[in-house]
Structures are given as C-alpha cells and as structure tokens.
Amino acid sequence: MILPPKTIGVLGGGQLGRMFAMEAKRMGYRIWTLDPEPDSPCGQVADGQVQAPFDDLAAAQELASHCDLITYEFENVHVRVVEGLEQAGKEVSPGSRVLEVTQNRLLEKNFLRSHQIPVTGFCKIETLKDLEVARETVGLPAVLKTIFGGYDGKGQIVIQNEQEAEEAFHRLEELSQGKALVWEKFVPFVKELGIICSRNKAGQVVTFPIAENVHRENILHLSSVPARIGRDVEDRLIEIAVKIAEALQIVGTFCVETFLLEDGKVMVNEIAPRVHNCGHYTLDACVTSQFEQHLRAICDLPLGSTELLSPVAMVNLLGEGNGNELIGVEEALRDPKVKLHLYGKKVAKAKRKMGHLTALAGSAEEAIERALSAHKKLRWR
C-alpha cells in the first residue's frame, strides 16, 4: 500500500513541534504550525505557519484548512479551540477529552484517583478559609499550584507554614486571574521518573525505557536511561502508563511523570499529553524516537520498536540572560559520542530552553558523566 501524502497541523511552534516536524518530513509528511511568535522553532522547518494566539479559533480553523489532521505540542492550547476543530469535522489527536483532563490539575488528580492510580493528597482552594481546611485535612508541607497553565515550575509554590500559605495564595490568585488553585501534599521522593507511552488508533500501546530525571529550580536538567530502578518499579510504571492510555483512549504519545518513594512505591505527579522533554534521548538512543512514534500513532501506522540501543544521558541547555552566542561547541563535541540539538531560538533568555545535548556510553553512570562534562564546556556570550 502506498500512503497518500498528508499534511499535519501542529498547535504550538516550540521545540517539541520542531523535532516532531523534522521527523515527519523525513517520512514524507508536510507540516503547518500555529504560534503567536514569528519565525518560531517549528515554523523554521515547517511548510507554513499561521501566526496567531493559541485561543484564536478562527486562526486554528485557518491552520486546519491546510491540513488533514491536527495535533498539539503542549497542553496550554485552549480546549475550546480543539473542541471547535472537532465540531467542524477535523481530526485532532490526542482529542479534546484528553486535553481537558490533563490541562486541569484538579480534573487530572480526580481522574487518576478514580482509576486507583496513586497520587498525593490534594484539595481545591478558592478562598483563604480553604487554606485552613487543606492544612488540617491534607497537611504540610505542601505545594500550592494554579489549576491551569504553568510549566517548568511556573504557577506553583512550596509552602511550609500558615504564613507562607497565605502569601502563596495571594501571589497565585493574581497569576490565575481569580481561578481556583489546588493544594497538594509535598511528596518526599527519592527519585523522579518519567515514562513515555504511545497508543495508536488500533489500540496498540508501547512504552519507552524509563528515564531517571533530575530537576533544578523545577526545570528538567538531566535525564538518564536506563533508570537505576528495580524491575518491580519498572513493571508498575508500565502498568500505570498503559492504564492511563486505555482509560483516556489517547491517540498519540504522552508522558507520565512520577515520584519513587523511599518504600519503593510509585506516585504519579502529572500527565503530559504530548511528547516530552525527558523523552528527547529517544532521538539518539532508540530504534524509534518519541516524535516518530507520535507520528505513527496519530497517522494510524503500526508503532515502532522502542528498544534502547545504548545507555544515554540528556542535559538541557538553558539560556542565561547574558548573551545569545553559544560558545564552547567545538570543545563539547570533541567527545565523539556527544550530540548537540539546538532549537533555533535567537534570544537566550534566562532559564529558556535553547537546546539539549545527549551522550551515549556503556552505562547510565558513564553517560551522565560524559553529558555533564560536555555541558560544562558550553556557555553564552
């Protein structure tokens, strides 16, 4: 069978869309993207870009007029836009129900709890009085979060006492424009683990090797694979990911971010309904990347092998706010098993994800050492 050429629309023009577009074009697909920023990372490699805000339904419909199907590269797309596209007869994967649940922290926690998937204690916060109830029923320390939006640590504050709770409430209430917040009991984890999972329209589900993640200031710094965990933990994570895929009937690739507790139990932190930062290692170390797998899933193709070809570590390259010229590239790449990925962003704002590097090695420990060594040679000027 010869597949007809298809054009895929991507809501969001960031680096995830860029890497997806590059894999899609390798397989003969055309790409359009929607993003408010001109010359977006995805737009640079796409066949066309609609420049508009993410809540602009008319602009999304214009995007859809060029495309056979639609996907999204991050979960802060307005669910109303996805619903509008679906009502107009456009295929969007993952669908609006998946987006509705995963972009709302309260709905997401309730969904997980209803499927007997372990999550930390939580409750809804609308008034200062709710803080008292949360403190008594859920407890401290805790994390107060906006229900909508937020990524890389934005929209959340760790609180240790009553005074900090009130201060956090006022700060986040303004940020969320009066919308409800969620109080989550702080989880004393020993490791952060991420599992990438894909499901296609036929119901085939596969998972990628689990990543062991390290965050700095709530931004992912390092992922290493294979994760240094027991087989029982690995099996439990796979079971959770597959259960989520089937319960939400997800079509596409997604990530489940989890905590490993000291007693060996696993607790889910959140679901990202898209390709994920901790899955970037798959581009260089797996038979099939998470981006190609997402393409296969939404285009109703058989899913590819997720076999790990080599232990690997990935380090994010963040802007520092003191210059836009990356130097040290030649020194970093003197290690022949280091690969550099840059996202085409012109301004290296502080903490902005500008790229990542991966290092292959004979073990996770060696890969981590090589990746961090190469990373230290890079700086902004």
Side-chain angles (χ1 to χ4, degrees):
M1 178 179 70
I2 300 176
L3 292 173
K6 284 188 176 181
T7 301
I8 302 171
V10 183
L11 297 170
Q15 64 267 16
L16 298 177
R18 177 190 181 93
M19 288 180 272
F20 169 76
M22 292 169 75
E23 289 284 82
K25 290 179 78 65
R26 176 178 61 80
M27 293 180 66
Y29 292 82
R30 300 178 73 83
I31 297 291
W32 275 68
T33 188
L34 181 149
D35 196 272
E37 297 297 323
D39 195 39
S40 68
C42 182
Q44 292 169 12
V45 299
D47 297 282
Q49 176 176 333
V50 176
Q51 187 180 340
F54 297 120
D55 61 355
D56 188 332
L57 177 57
Q61 289 171 333
E62 180 188 346
L63 174 78
S65 71
H66 298 280
C67 303
D68 299 294
L69 67 156
I70 308 291
T71 189
Y72 42 89
E73 64 132 23
F74 77 146
E75 60 269 39
N76 291 334
V77 174
H78 203 295
V79 70
R80 177 183 61 84
V81 169
V82 175
E83 289 173 341
L85 292 173
E86 290 173 336
Q87 289 164 7
K90 276 295 177 181
E91 182 181 348
V92 185
S93 297
S96 59
R97 171 59 180 162
V98 175
L99 185 62
E100 179 184 30
V101 170
T102 56
Q103 73 175 193
N104 181 318
R105 288 189 169 107
L106 200 58
L107 283 181
E108 183 179 72
K109 288 283 191 295
N110 282 315
F111 161 79
L112 291 166
R113 180 177 282 178
S114 70
H115 287 84
Q116 292 76 51
I117 296 172
V119 293
T120 190
F122 66 94
C123 65
K124 186 178 183 180
I125 302 292
E126 294 182 291
T127 67
L128 281 171
K129 188 173 181 180
D130 292 335
L131 295 177
E132 299 176 20
V133 176
R135 193 172 64 250
E136 293 172 3
T137 59
V138 179
L140 287 165
V143 186
L144 194 63
K145 299 179 179 180
T146 56
I147 285 180
F148 295 99
Y151 59 94
D152 290 343
K154 298 178 178 68
Q156 55 183 278
I157 301 173
V158 177
I159 50 180
Q160 303 288 344
N161 54 51
E162 182 178 351
Q163 180 181 345
E164 289 182 357
E166 290 191 15
E167 292 172 355
F169 175 82
H170 291 303
R171 285 171 59 189
L172 293 179
E173 185 183 39
E174 182 179 355
L175 181 64
S176 67
Q177 299 179 328
K179 294 185 176 68
L181 308 173
V182 60
W183 175 296
E184 298 180 7
K185 184 75 168 67
F186 183 81
V187 178
F189 58 86
V190 295
K191 285 183 189 290
E192 294 179 89
L193 303 170
I195 181 168
I196 306 290
C197 182
S198 301
R199 179 180 178 276
N200 65 11
K201 296 176 187 178
Q204 181 187 5
V205 181
V206 298
T207 58
F208 283 87
I210 294 159
E212 183 176 334
N213 298 325
V214 176
H215 287 76
R216 286 185 178 174
E217 298 181 57
N218 294 309
I219 300 174
L220 183 64
H221 172 59
L222 169 72
S223 292
S224 59
V225 184
R228 292 162 292 183
I229 54 176
R231 186 55 194 255
D232 57 334
V233 174
E234 182 180 350
D235 289 344
R236 179 61 179 140
L237 284 173
I238 293 171
E239 178 187 346
I240 287 170
V242 171
K243 180 182 280 191
I244 290 169
E246 293 177 343
L248 283 175
Q249 293 288 286
I250 292 176
V251 174
T253 294
F254 66 100
C255 178
V256 186
E257 299 177 60
T258 72
F259 299 124
L260 176 63
L261 309 186
E262 192 170 5
D263 61 5
K265 293 181 181 176
V266 172
M267 186 173 288
V268 172
N269 180 31
E270 61 185 37
I271 307 164
R274 51 170 171 80
V275 289
H276 193 269
N277 196 169
C278 77
H280 291 352
Y281 77 89
T282 62
L283 279 167
D284 298 314
C286 287
V287 172
T288 308
S289 76
Q290 64 167 344
F291 303 99
E292 179 186 335
Q293 201 77 287
H294 184 62
L295 177 79
R296 286 171 174 251
I298 66 175
C299 292
D300 202 22
L301 296 171
L303 300 181
S305 167
T306 60
E307 179 187 354
L308 185 69
L309 300 175
S310 167
V312 60
M314 181 222 70
V315 183
N316 272 327
L317 178 59
L318 304 183
E320 297 171 356
N322 57 8
N324 303 319
E325 181 187 3
L326 182 64
I327 60 175
V329 172
E330 183 178 351
E331 291 82 356
L333 294 182
R334 284 207 174 98
D335 184 334
K337 290 194 174 183
V338 166
K339 292 180 175 288
L340 180 64
H341 299 255
L342 297 177
Y343 303 150
K345 298 178 182 179
K346 295 178 181 177
V347 181
K349 299 176 185 176
K351 299 183 181 180
R352 188 183 196 190
K353 291 176 180 173
M354 300 297 294
H356 71 269
L357 61 81
T358 53
L360 307 178
S363 67
E365 290 81 6
E366 184 187 352
I368 291 169
E369 183 179 346
R370 296 179 94 150
L372 292 177
S373 176
H375 185 259
K376 287 178 182 176
K377 297 180 172 92
L378 299 170
R379 62 189 186 279
W380 296 98
R381 181 175 65 187

